[in-house]
Amino acid sequence: MMLQTFADSDWFDRVPKVELHLHLEGAIPLNTLWELLQKYGGDPEVPDMDALRRLFKYVDFPQFIKTWVWKNQYVREYEDFTFIGEAVARELVRMNVRYAEVFYSAPDFFRHGLTTQGITKAIRKGLNFVPDVEIALIADLVRDFGPEKAEITLREVAEVSELGVIGIGLGGSEQDFPPELFERVFEEARRLGFRTCAHAGEAAGPSSIWGVINVLKVDRIGHGTRALEDPKLIEFLTQSGIPLEVCPTSNICTGVVARMADHPVRKYQNQGISITINTDDPVMFDTTLAEEYRALVDELDFSRSEIRKLILNGISCSWLPTDRKEKLQKLFSSDPNWQS
Ligand SMILES: [Zn+2]
């Protein structure tokens, strides 16, 4: 491993970026979440920001989901979604993210009496306060609510797709809700003109990844970390070019991978699998996109030129129209921070 100068390390912050796997509710800046916590009377077990930070350490995936659910009880009204939408967009601008496709999990908030349509409108209102970053939305149908509810949510999303909802995703408890349950809803989503992706190979193994490929026919795979367990699957991913939304730090935090040096992303890159690098839930995993690039260089021997290619691949694998992709790729390559 080569020693880096300060300027080298700083480059990761300065370089323009895209994010394709980012959950709005996992990206709420800590101070924004703290304000929401106070708005609703707080939690005696979380008396200060340090306690909040400590809460975001997990031993495994189920504990992460538990913390996710705890946090969501403090996002209760439409104005909260506008508040977090604006805060997350400002953070993306600060990180030099120019384009992002962001998940939001409306079904998690139905218990507060909110609707998919209302949540979508409120988020878009907040995003519109920050014109320096373009954000497309992906509606997470959330596996844990089952396929019937997912079909209803999909119909509701279709009513507000003009607010920049370009795709649907499937997050939640992968180990308990296999992809096959959602075959019909994904078919319907495609018929309605949505792009599709699903989390797979994170909390469950290769069969879950095969399921999202063969049954859900996704355009992109969220994570795909455990594809490594199945050589036939690795071969298929290489040949087919289906992109993986790789989120290295997230996989360490939820215990899917023991340590960064063991992360399969290096093998995937060598193999020629189409990969994009993302943060997943940056605040909940105490990371940023710059940190992800740094980790790849420091611990997995990625070169800066490989990082540039990964960033450009993020644009290629986005769901922007072709002419917009080309414009963005030109904009990035001509950015003063691109080659420096
Ligand atoms: Zn995710």
Side-chain angles (χ1 to χ4, degrees):
M1 193 191 311
M2 274 167 47
L3 278 179
Q4 283 182 28
T5 64
F6 174 74
D8 277 341
S9 155
D10 198 39
W11 179 80
F12 300 107
D13 296 312
R14 290 184 278 112
V15 73
K17 306 170 182 76
V18 293
E19 240 315 342
L20 302 181
H21 190 122
L22 173 75
H23 298 264
L24 179 81
E25 304 89 348
I28 307 170
L30 270 189
N31 55 347
T32 306
L33 183 57
W34 180 253
E35 272 188 57
L36 288 170
L37 203 67
Q38 300 319 301
K39 175 181 172 183
Y40 295 111
D43 179 333
E45 288 181 30
V46 188
D48 52 36
M49 292 275 275
D50 280 342
L52 188 58
R53 249 180 231 111
R54 278 198 301 278
L55 201 67
F56 291 168
K57 304 269 181 225
Y58 322 99
V59 291
D60 56 18
F61 193 79
Q63 197 204 347
F64 164 69
I65 292 285
K66 204 176 140 202
T67 313
W68 174 271
V69 172
W70 171 86
K71 165 186 59 63
N72 285 351
Q73 64 182 307
Y74 300 104
V75 185
R76 289 184 202 175
E77 299 176 345
Y78 292 125
E79 65 175 27
D80 300 340
F81 280 94
T82 302
F83 185 51
I84 64 174
E86 180 179 357
V88 171
R90 290 202 186 285
E91 197 54 24
L92 289 174
V93 171
R94 210 169 67 81
M95 296 294 151
N96 282 321
V97 174
R98 307 288 166 83
Y99 174 73
E101 292 175 0
V102 174
F103 294 111
Y104 69 111
S105 305
D108 286 354
F109 304 92
F110 294 162
R111 61 186 162 143
H112 303 314
L114 306 181
T115 67
T116 305
Q117 296 93 324
I119 290 170
T120 311
K121 281 179 199 155
I123 294 171
R124 182 51 72 188
K125 185 177 169 191
L127 299 178
N128 283 347
F129 289 134
V130 191
D132 292 337
V133 57
E134 181 179 350
I135 297 179
L137 292 170
I138 304 175
D140 172 14
L141 301 178
V142 192
R143 337 167 93 95
D144 304 54
F145 293 90
E148 285 82 15
K149 189 77 202 170
E151 282 180 38
I152 296 168
T153 305
L154 174 65
R155 283 198 288 276
E156 293 167 348
V157 172
E159 287 177 29
V160 286
S161 60
E162 80 280 1
L163 295 170
V165 189
I166 59 170
I168 60 152
L170 195 60
S173 304
E174 184 194 357
Q175 70 281 17
D176 299 325
F177 295 88
E180 288 73 14
L181 293 171
F182 301 91
E183 180 174 12
R184 212 168 61 184
V185 68
F186 269 64
E187 204 177 296
E188 179 65 5
R190 277 193 300 280
R191 197 188 63 77
L192 291 167
F194 288 108
R195 304 301 297 268
T196 61
C197 60
H199 287 56
E202 184 187 19
S207 68
S208 174
I209 304 176
W210 281 119
V212 304
I213 295 168
N214 293 330
V215 180
L216 302 188
K217 302 180 171 60
V218 291
D219 297 310
R220 289 196 310 243
I221 297 167
H223 295 282
T225 316
R226 293 181 58 188
L228 196 67
E229 297 167 23
D230 180 347
K232 281 207 177 76
L233 180 53
I234 291 292
E235 182 61 28
F236 180 83
L237 290 171
T238 311
Q239 297 304 325
S240 67
I242 297 179
L244 302 185
E245 303 153 3
V246 176
C247 310
T249 300
S250 162
N251 294 157
I252 313 295
C253 291
T254 57
V256 180
V257 176
R259 56 194 185 111
M260 193 57 80
D262 298 333
H263 200 285
V265 65
R266 177 75 263 174
K267 289 191 182 108
Y268 291 173
Q269 170 81 2
N270 293 350
Q271 182 79 22
I273 292 175
S274 176
I275 51 177
T276 66
I277 301 298
N278 308 277
T279 59
D280 205 1
D281 302 292
V283 175
M284 298 187 76
F285 298 137
D286 193 21
T287 187
T288 63
L289 209 38
E291 288 299 325
E292 299 294 331
Y293 300 155
R294 267 190 205 104
L296 294 187
V297 170
D298 290 347
E299 302 193 50
L300 289 159
D301 277 333
F302 277 69
S303 67
R304 195 185 287 192
S305 147
E306 283 179 310
I307 300 290
R308 283 193 201 94
K309 282 188 190 135
L310 288 175
I311 296 173
L312 293 179
N313 198 42
I315 299 175
S316 300
C317 301
S318 76
W319 294 334
L320 281 167
T322 309
D323 60 324
R324 291 288 326 284
K325 287 184 189 179
E326 284 166 6
K327 269 190 193 148
L328 205 57
Q329 275 158 345
K330 276 196 190 118
L331 189 77
F332 276 35
S333 332
S334 61
D335 188 283
N337 292 308
W338 186 250
Q339 285 296 344
S340 64

